[in-house]
Amino acid sequence: MAVKPPLVPNAKPLIGHALDIWQDPLKFFSAAARTAPLSRIKIGWKDACLISNHELLYQILVTDAKKYDKGIQYERARAMLGDGVLLAEGDLHFRQRRLMQPMFNKPSVNDYIDAMHTYSTAMVESWRDKEVVELYPEFYRLATRVVIDTLFSTIMSDADVELVRAKMPVVIAGIEKRGALPPRLFDTIPTPENRAFYSAIADLRGLGDRLVDDRLSMNRDGDARTDLMDVLTDTEDEITRRDNDRAQILNEFLTFLTAGSETTPSAIAWSCYLLAKHPEIQEQVRAEVGEFDLNADNTVQAIQQLSLLHAVVKEALRLYPPVWALGRRSLEEISLGGYDLPSGTQVFYSVYAIQRDSTVYEDPDEFKPRRWIDTPKKYPRSAFLPFGAGVRNCIGEHFAWIEISIAIVNILQRYELSLQPGQQVPPAAMGALVPGALPVRLRSVVPR
Ligand code: HEM
């Protein structure tokens, strides 16, 4: 019989580790990562593997990517996203990704800078000197408006933004939790949690349907800019036209609504939290961005020159990766970390745990942005994976970097951010890794 990877301690009969994962996933995966580079966990009575070593993870995501599909967590997301590009597999994924990629390359992202700047300026201008602002909801609204305006030329109403803010976290947390449950065990029982999950999906799909209809019937004669909706619908290519029927267009709309609204706010919020907690670094970043003119220097290249800001965001993404745990499933027998694993093996990995590996990062739990300026070569590519890697990496990576940077430049040019003495902000793994309550006090740094 093939040797199995070591089992993470404390598996319970029938449910395995499911309850521990359900109750505190971050704690479970971080503790379990210490068992072995490749260990075994039990999802109910089924075995799954846990990858806690960055090189093994890179093998899965990049070197052997063809041997895996996305697996159980993603199957649970299908009720929300259908076959949008995040979940599509094989040829459909290849075609959709190739079709959309140009909209996320640097020249296209340059076109989004004005909208990103306009929305984040409106956000900071609604704040007041000495006010205490709960930051995460502010950034959630910002990111939701930005992604839908830039990619679908649609200005969302306040009510629609609030609907997304209320319902999307219910869906995302529900998907995450269902990924750690034995298949279909609890899905069909009409518990309050199940009802809330399916009704939030229905509300968001209903909203998406309405916004897609509105966008498709929009008269855009005067609008020269090609958006993602044009790319999905205006194609000369017959296969692409067949791929993108009305149902698939809705799936793609919801995919970008989800991917754009659930991740970037977390990255901006954690960056601001760390800056508020480290006032001396905040001052240094403010000195760097103080003179930066977002109206004039509005290119991806110019924004990327802000090296300390870049290092701060990178360190925030290392300590608090918004997409903190994911999985894959093998499509054939695989050899991994010295084990022969059968086809259909579900593997999970926690980017949160991997990016705090003390064998890679000295002082792994500390915020040290200068590590990315002083010794960047010390850290292997495989040990920094907030945007994933390989063919399924994040298509929105440049988009996100620029959106995050613009928001922080706007904030620091106007306000000093501070926390209450001793204020703790524990991370909550609500699907995305988000800050719990994050009230931050603002003090104007320029006369207003
Ligand atoms: C800080 C912000 C973001 C983070 C940390 C992030 C993270 C990720 C990660 C880890 C993946 C890979 C998932 C996997 O390997 O299974 C991914 C995929 C994806 N992301 Fe992002 N993302 C961010 C922002 C965005 C934005 C702003 C957009 C859209 C505008 C976006 C759109 C997507 C899409 C469509 C995919 C699926 C790509 C594919 O499978 O081909 N993301 N993202």
Side-chain angles (χ1 to χ4, degrees):
M1 203 175 75
V3 180
K4 289 183 172 183
L7 184 65
V8 169
N10 296 329
K12 313 273 186 317
L14 281 180
I15 57 168
H17 297 101
L19 195 61
D20 292 340
I21 299 175
W22 182 281
Q23 282 170 341
D24 192 342
L26 204 57
K27 186 169 153 208
F28 173 81
F29 281 115
S30 298
R34 291 192 279 274
T35 304
L38 196 172
S39 55
R40 193 160 42 94
I41 58 176
K42 285 210 166 280
I43 303 297
W45 53 90
K46 289 192 160 194
D47 277 348
C49 286
L50 178 66
I51 309 301
S52 304
N53 169 278
H54 62 97
E55 283 161 357
L56 291 181
L57 177 55
Y58 206 69
Q59 184 181 337
I60 294 172
L61 296 182
V62 182
T63 324
D64 290 345
K66 286 205 171 108
K67 298 181 182 170
Y68 296 86
D69 72 4
K70 289 207 153 189
I72 181 173
Q73 271 168 315
Y74 285 96
E75 269 166 18
R76 302 309 175 94
R78 215 166 281 280
M80 171 74 186
L81 304 177
D83 265 339
V85 67
L86 180 70
L87 301 187
E89 299 281 4
D91 289 349
L92 177 63
H93 173 260
F94 178 78
R95 292 195 300 269
Q96 291 294 85
R97 176 89 193 211
R98 193 179 50 181
L99 181 70
M100 296 176 184
Q101 188 62 55
M103 301 306 289
F104 296 92
N105 293 344
K106 285 184 187 171
S108 293
V109 175
N110 275 334
D111 291 343
Y112 308 145
I113 288 177
D114 276 353
M116 292 171 176
H117 181 32
T118 304
Y119 282 114
S120 68
T121 304
M123 176 185 73
V124 293
E125 287 186 345
S126 73
W127 298 347
R128 293 287 165 259
D129 186 25
K130 300 191 182 68
E131 193 178 8
V132 174
V133 176
E134 188 56 63
L135 287 184
Y136 183 71
E138 292 286 299
F139 300 151
Y140 202 101
R141 293 183 188 103
L142 169 71
T144 305
R145 289 185 196 287
V146 165
V147 73
I148 296 305
D149 190 347
T150 52
L151 300 183
F152 297 99
S153 310
T154 296
I155 296 173
M156 288 182 76
S157 71
D158 290 351
D160 287 348
V161 172
E162 291 312 315
L163 182 76
V164 175
R165 212 168 69 73
K167 303 291 177 172
M168 191 67 86
V170 177
V171 173
I172 301 300
I175 291 168
E176 192 86 2
K177 285 185 170 178
R178 279 164 179 75
L181 288 173
R184 305 275 161 240
L185 183 62
F186 296 121
D187 272 18
T188 47
I189 308 169
T191 59
E193 206 273 345
N194 273 341
R195 276 202 296 270
F197 176 68
Y198 288 109
S199 115
I201 290 178
D203 288 346
L204 289 172
R205 287 192 66 88
L207 169 73
D209 218 22
R210 173 163 57 76
L211 294 179
V212 167
D213 275 349
D214 289 351
R215 167 62 185 80
L216 290 175
S217 59
M218 207 182 269
N219 178 352
R220 296 183 71 243
D221 287 349
D223 193 341
R225 190 175 67 84
T226 301
D227 69 3
L228 186 64
M229 186 66 96
D230 292 324
V231 170
L232 294 170
T233 53
D234 282 6
T235 176
E236 301 287 299
D237 179 61
E238 197 191 319
I239 298 177
T240 310
R241 228 178 22 240
R242 206 179 55 210
D243 286 342
N244 288 292
D245 61 9
R246 177 64 176 72
Q248 181 66 3
I249 289 170
L250 174 60
N251 291 336
E252 298 298 5
F253 182 93
L254 290 165
T255 295
F256 283 95
L257 177 66
T258 307
S261 68
E262 274 293 310
T263 50
T264 324
S266 154
I268 309 174
W270 286 117
S271 301
C272 287
Y273 162 69
L274 291 164
L275 288 171
K277 203 170 166 200
H278 298 271
E280 66 300 341
I281 299 176
Q282 185 183 157
E283 268 322 300
Q284 291 163 12
V285 181
R286 183 171 295 105
E288 182 182 77
V289 306
E291 300 297 310
F292 193 83
D293 183 352
L294 280 167
N295 294 310
D297 304 325
N298 54 357
T299 62
V300 169
Q301 213 187 354
I303 294 167
Q304 283 175 334
Q305 302 297 315
L306 299 167
S307 55
L308 185 56
L309 171 65
H310 195 270
V312 162
V313 175
K314 192 161 181 178
E315 187 70 341
L317 287 166
R318 181 186 73 79
L319 286 169
Y320 301 105
V323 182
W324 69 275
L326 281 173
R328 291 289 190 267
R329 181 177 46 203
S330 64
L331 295 167
E332 56 188 78
E333 200 176 308
I334 45 167
S335 172
L336 188 67
Y339 298 98
D340 292 325
L341 303 169
S343 174
T345 298
Q346 174 68 41
V347 296
F348 289 104
Y349 54 91
S350 162
V351 176
Y352 178 88
I354 284 178
Q355 293 186 164
R356 288 175 182 242
D357 182 345
S358 60
T359 64
V360 177
Y361 295 99
E362 70 289 356
D363 301 325
D365 297 328
E366 294 200 7
F367 176 60
K368 292 190 160 178
R370 287 217 163 261
R371 69 172 90 231
W372 298 111
I373 296 172
D374 298 339
T375 53
K377 295 212 165 69
K378 249 174 107 171
Y379 311 110
R381 163 76 181 95
S382 53
F384 181 75
L385 296 168
F387 294 97
V391 285
R392 303 307 298 248
N393 75 337
C394 177
I395 199 172
E397 180 171 352
H398 286 316
F399 185 113
W401 270 109
I402 298 304
E403 182 181 0
I404 296 163
S405 305
I406 289 176
I408 298 175
V409 169
N410 262 321
I411 294 167
L412 292 187
Q413 285 183 342
R414 287 172 178 79
Y415 292 108
E416 186 185 285
L417 309 173
S418 62
L419 302 172
Q420 295 296 324
Q423 184 178 336
Q424 297 295 324
V425 181
M430 304 288 295
L433 190 67
V434 300
L438 180 52
V440 167
R441 183 169 295 280
L442 307 173
R443 194 174 64 82
S444 286
V445 290
V446 285
R448 287 162 59 83

